[in-house]
């Protein structure tokens, strides 16, 4: 009887505390402080990880962007000395970064750090405007954690990072009440989303999302159809402006024909190489790799996705969230490749849905005592701790070189640094070099121009219409330029040769190198921690031969 009385008294006390406005305000303030403390801890941690690993060697895509950006700083337009199917926006972003901070690996990754911080901030403001600050804080913290993970190659400055930033900026501008969206805001929103497209072609789907969201919002608010269409045209005008300016600039530079071939004709061939029957397995593997140890946050995002339409606090924001998720998914599915870093395009939507899930839990517990209301904070903190502990070696222990070997096992990214240094020390700035393989970072490190625009050999190995033509062009360009040094990369992952690949380039290389070059360098990659470098004294044989890189100097 006494225990029952005490229990009733305790429950009564809890109700009184919960109904007391002063106590409730103090509780709300305590919860808000807890959220901000957690956010600061997460951002401090992820920033510290990125700073510690600023020196991680460039991988191939970074090497391409860095070399193209380096050429831009020299006044050389894209697609003249470096062919690529990607739009040139990321080249410009790299050029700006290197202009501000220098042409180094550290400078490039410092630029990525700033882009990542700006993206996280935008996600916070989007979440806050959509629902409340809790959603914003959780979403921003989730994005910071997910985007630093090696499961999406988050330490590399991929084009997807540069797509997401301006796209989110444009999306944020569209979030005001439709009646407040003036012409300038519409133009700027479209312009930012157009910049996302300029960074990489999948950005097109975000422009479509912006246009649909704007139009439906105008119609829902009672705007006349004619005016809604006119406002959409203004938005579209802003979106196409960066592309039109780029077209005109490339025409003026005399490289529009190359740009059109690589970004339209070849890109179409590349985008149709994967069959729908193969796409399913690639998707499953891609999702598994991208989620990796971050599954707690992905589960939270799944809960948010499933419950957002049922949550009153989400309200009219559901359309925006679902639209962003659908456009991100379509951007990811383009070409059916599902590479790890492509999932960065999906992370803002994932992070926002994680915020929705946490906010839903907070709403359910709003009338409870403070200790119970802390559960959502502890839940996100637990997810963060789990993610960090699962990747602790990479985040806290491994050196940048060791981190590169761990993330990109089997790829010669750190080894190419010494190759490039040797070439730079033995050439003049006016000399050209040729890399027969897919290691464009060598051109950037060595500060030497390529003798051929084919800085990747992957397209030459693909079972696509232009493969033999491309091999012939690469051969002709190298023979015409007579590069002082030729670097032959005899590593499988630098070619991806298949039984359906054309072999003209191999037959030519064997003959051409023997007639015109002499070996002066040899890098024997037996294992990640067993690499033998031989410069100016190449042995006839070695005790154990792994994959290797050969450096040749042109005969007098």
């Amino acid at each position: 009887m006494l225990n029952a009385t005490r229990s009733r008294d305790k429950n009564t006390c809890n109700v009184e505390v919960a109904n007391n406005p002063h106590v409730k305000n103090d509780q709300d303030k305590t919860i808000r402080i807890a959220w901000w403390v957690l956010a600061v801890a997460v951002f401090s941690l992820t920033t510290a990880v990125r700073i510690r690993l600023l020196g991680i060697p460039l991988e191939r895509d970074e090497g391409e962007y860095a070399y193209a950006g380096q050429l831009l700083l020299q006044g050389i337009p894209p697609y003249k000395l470096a062919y690529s199917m990607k739009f040139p926006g990321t080249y410009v972003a790299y050029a700006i970064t290197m202009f501000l901070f220098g042409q180094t690996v550290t400078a490039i990754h410092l630029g990525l750090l700033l882009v990542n911080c700006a993206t996280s901030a935008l996600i916070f403001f989007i979440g806050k405007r959509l629902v409340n600050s809790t959603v914003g804080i959780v979403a921003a913290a989730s994005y910071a954690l997910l985007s630093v993970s090696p499961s999406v190659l988050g330490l590399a400055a991929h084009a997807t990072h540069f797509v997401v930033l301006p796209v989110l900026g444009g999306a944020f501008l569209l979030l005001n009440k439709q009646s407040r969206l003036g012409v300038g805001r519409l133009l700027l929103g479209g312009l930012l989303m157009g910049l996302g497209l300029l960074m990489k072609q999948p950005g097109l789907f975000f422009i479509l999302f912006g246009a649909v969201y704007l139009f439906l919002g105008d119609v829902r608010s009672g705007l006349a159809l004619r005016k809604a269409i006119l406002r959409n045209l203004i938005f579209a005008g802003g979106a196409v402006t960066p592309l039109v300016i780029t077209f005109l600039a490339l025409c003026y530079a005399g490289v529009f024909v190359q740009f059109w071939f690589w970004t339209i004709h070849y890109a179409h061939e590349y985008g149709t190489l994967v069959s729908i029957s193969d796409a399913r397995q690639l998707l499953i593997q891609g999702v598994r790799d991208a989620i990796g140890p971050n599954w707690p946050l992905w589960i939270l995002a799944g809960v948010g996705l499933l419950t957002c339409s049922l949550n009153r606090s989400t309200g009219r924001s559901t359309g925006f969230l679902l639209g962003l998720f659908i456009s991100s998914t379509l951007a990811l599915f383009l070409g059916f490749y599902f590479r790890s870093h492509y999932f960065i395009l999906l992370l803002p939507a994932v992070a926002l849905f994680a915020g929705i899930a946490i906010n839903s839990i907070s709403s359910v517990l709003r009338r409870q005592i403070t200790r119970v209301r802390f559960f959502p904070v502890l839940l996100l903190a637990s997810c963060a701790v789990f993610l960090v502990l699962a990747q602790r070696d990479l985040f806290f222990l491994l050196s940048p070189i060791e981190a590169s070997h761990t993330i990109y096992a089997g790829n010669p990214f750190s080894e190419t640094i010494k190759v490039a240094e040797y070439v730079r020390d033995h050439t003049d700035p006016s000399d050209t070099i040729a890399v027969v393989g897919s290691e464009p970072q060598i051109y950037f490190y060595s500060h030497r121009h390529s003798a051929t625009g084919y800085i990747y050999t992957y397209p030459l190995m693909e079972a696509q219409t232009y493969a033999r033509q491309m091999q012939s062009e690469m051969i002709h360009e190298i023979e015409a330029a007579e590069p002082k040094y030729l670097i032959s990369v005899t590593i499988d992952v630098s070619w991806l040769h298949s039984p359906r690949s054309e072999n003209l380039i191999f037959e030519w290389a064997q003959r051409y190198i023997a007639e015109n070059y002499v070996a002066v360098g040899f890098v024997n990659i037996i294992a990640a921690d067993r690499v033998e470098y031989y410069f100016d004294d190449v042995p006839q044989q070695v005790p154990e031969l792994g994959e290797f890189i050969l450096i040749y100097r042109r005969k007098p």
Side-chain angles (χ1 to χ4, degrees):
M1 186 73 177
L2 181 59
N3 289 336
T5 303
R6 288 176 177 174
S7 178
R8 283 196 300 270
D9 291 343
K10 183 177 180 181
N11 291 336
T12 302
C13 181
N14 288 340
V15 171
E16 290 175 352
V17 168
N19 291 332
N20 188 319
H22 298 292
V23 174
K24 191 172 184 299
N25 287 338
D26 290 341
Q27 291 176 347
D28 289 342
K29 184 177 181 181
T30 303
I31 298 293
R32 284 197 300 270
I33 292 174
W35 277 122
W36 281 110
V37 168
L38 179 57
V40 170
V42 168
F43 289 121
S44 299
L45 175 66
T46 55
T47 301
V49 170
R50 289 189 178 278
I51 290 174
R52 195 183 75 80
L53 295 172
L54 285 176
I56 190 170
L58 300 182
E59 45 96 92
R60 288 186 188 89
D61 282 8
E62 290 181 297
E64 172 200 339
Y65 303 138
Y67 177 52
Q70 192 178 69
L71 293 175
L72 275 173
L73 293 176
Q74 298 169 7
I76 300 171
Y79 313 103
K80 185 173 183 178
L81 295 182
Y83 306 147
S84 174
M85 67 175 175
K86 300 157 191 166
F87 279 178
T90 306
Y91 302 158
V92 177
Y94 264 64
I96 293 172
T97 298
M98 293 188 291
F99 175 78
L100 294 174
F101 305 118
Q103 296 182 32
T104 65
V105 172
T106 298
I108 289 169
H109 292 145
L110 177 59
L112 171 62
L113 170 60
L114 296 178
V115 166
N116 187 261
C117 289
T119 304
S120 297
L122 273 173
I123 290 174
F124 165 75
F125 287 115
I126 288 173
K128 182 180 179 182
R129 180 164 291 181
L130 285 172
V131 186
N132 56 37
S133 59
T134 298
V135 173
I137 290 172
V138 174
S142 298
Y143 181 82
L145 287 166
L146 292 170
S147 61
V148 78
S149 175
S151 65
V152 292
L153 306 182
L155 293 169
H158 282 287
T160 43
H161 287 285
F162 298 93
V163 173
V164 167
L165 177 59
V167 159
L168 290 178
F172 178 72
L173 290 176
L174 297 181
L175 277 177
N176 254 13
K177 290 182 179 179
Q178 302 298 318
S179 59
R180 297 182 183 176
L181 293 179
V183 172
R185 199 179 186 100
L186 291 173
L187 272 174
L188 183 57
L191 182 68
L192 287 172
M193 288 198 167
L195 287 176
L197 170 61
L198 200 60
M199 298 297 166
K200 203 172 185 182
Q201 287 91 323
L204 173 65
F205 293 102
F206 295 104
I207 295 176
L208 297 177
F209 155 64
V212 171
Y213 177 76
L214 173 64
F215 181 76
L216 293 179
D218 282 344
V219 171
R220 193 184 297 114
S221 63
L223 206 63
L225 182 61
R226 182 178 178 182
K227 189 169 184 180
I229 293 173
L230 178 61
R231 284 159 58 81
N232 225 271
L233 289 174
I234 293 171
F235 171 81
V240 301
T241 297
L243 205 58
V244 170
I245 293 174
T246 299
F247 284 175
L248 294 174
L250 294 174
C251 283
Y252 178 79
V255 294
F256 187 80
V257 173
Q258 296 95 311
F259 161 78
W260 193 259
F261 170 77
W262 281 93
T263 61
I264 305 299
H265 294 297
Y266 168 67
H268 175 264
E269 285 286 317
Y270 178 79
T272 56
L273 288 175
V274 178
S275 65
I276 295 178
S277 59
D278 293 332
R280 179 175 174 274
Q281 185 58 39
L282 290 173
L283 174 61
I284 293 172
Q285 185 61 47
V287 170
R288 185 183 295 121
D289 291 342
I291 292 177
N294 307 307
W295 57 265
L297 282 181
W298 284 80
I299 289 176
L300 270 179
V303 173
L305 173 62
L306 294 174
T307 61
C308 67
S309 59
L310 305 175
N311 192 334
R312 288 184 178 181
S313 64
T314 306
R316 296 176 64 178
S317 301
T318 302
F320 178 92
L321 291 165
L322 292 177
L324 179 63
F325 174 72
I326 292 170
S327 60
S328 302
T329 302
L330 291 173
L332 172 66
F333 270 68
L334 188 64
F336 300 126
Y337 284 97
F338 308 113
R339 295 193 173 95
S340 296
H341 57 283
Y342 294 1
F343 284 83
I344 291 170
L345 297 170
L346 194 59
L347 293 188
V350 171
L352 285 166
F353 278 121
I356 294 297
I358 291 290
N359 186 67
S360 298
I361 298 171
S362 298
S363 298
V364 171
L365 303 178
R366 185 167 295 156
R367 294 181 177 275
Q368 303 300 315
I369 61 175
T370 304
R371 282 173 297 186
V372 176
R373 292 177 63 198
F374 263 105
F375 174 74
V377 180
L378 296 175
L379 177 60
L380 183 63
S382 299
C383 291
V385 170
F386 180 88
L387 269 57
V388 171
L389 290 179
Q391 302 166 101
R392 59 187 178 277
D393 287 349
L394 178 73
F395 285 175
F396 306 117
L397 301 178
L398 299 182
S399 69
I401 298 294
E402 292 169 336
S404 178
H405 288 157
T406 300
I407 298 170
Y408 306 102
N411 288 279
F413 299 149
S414 61
E415 291 79 6
T416 54
I417 296 175
K418 290 188 178 181
V419 171
E421 290 173 349
Y422 176 84
V423 170
R424 185 179 63 229
D425 293 341
H426 291 80
T427 56
D428 296 324
S430 58
D431 292 327
T432 60
I433 64 173
V435 178
V436 184
S438 301
E439 309 302 334
Q441 66 274 17
I442 292 177
Y443 297 118
F444 171 72
Y445 288 137
S446 64
H447 290 259
R448 297 294 179 264
H449 288 176
S450 169
T452 173
Y454 288 91
I455 58 174
Y456 289 113
T457 50
Y458 294 138
L460 283 58
M461 298 292 102
E462 295 163 351
Q464 46 95 3
T465 305
Y466 304 108
R468 191 171 182 88
Q469 171 191 327
M470 289 176 171
Q471 292 191 17
S472 298
E473 288 178 356
M474 184 175 183
I475 290 169
H476 173 74
E477 290 175 2
I478 291 176
E479 288 182 345
E482 298 182 347
K484 186 172 182 179
Y485 279 82
L486 188 149
I487 297 96
S488 176
V489 185
T490 312
I491 297 174
D492 289 342
V493 292
S494 195
W495 289 86
L496 298 184
H497 181 271
S498 75
R500 300 176 62 190
S501 298
E502 293 278 354
N503 292 313
L504 175 63
I505 189 78
F506 300 117
E507 297 164 1
W508 163 82
Q510 188 174 9
R511 183 185 67 257
Y512 180 75
I513 292 174
E515 293 173 356
N516 298 280
Y517 288 85
V518 59
V520 294
F522 173 59
V523 180
N524 186 24
I525 307 172
I526 303 167
D529 57 348
R530 292 181 61 200
V531 182
E532 299 171 345
Y533 296 91
Y534 302 92
F535 295 121
D536 297 321
D537 186 19
V538 179
Q540 294 299 313
Q541 60 181 14
V542 291
E544 184 178 356
L545 181 63
E547 293 190 300
F548 56 90
I549 301 172
L550 278 164
I551 306 171
Y552 295 96
R553 185 183 65 230
R554 191 169 185 86
K555 295 177 181 177

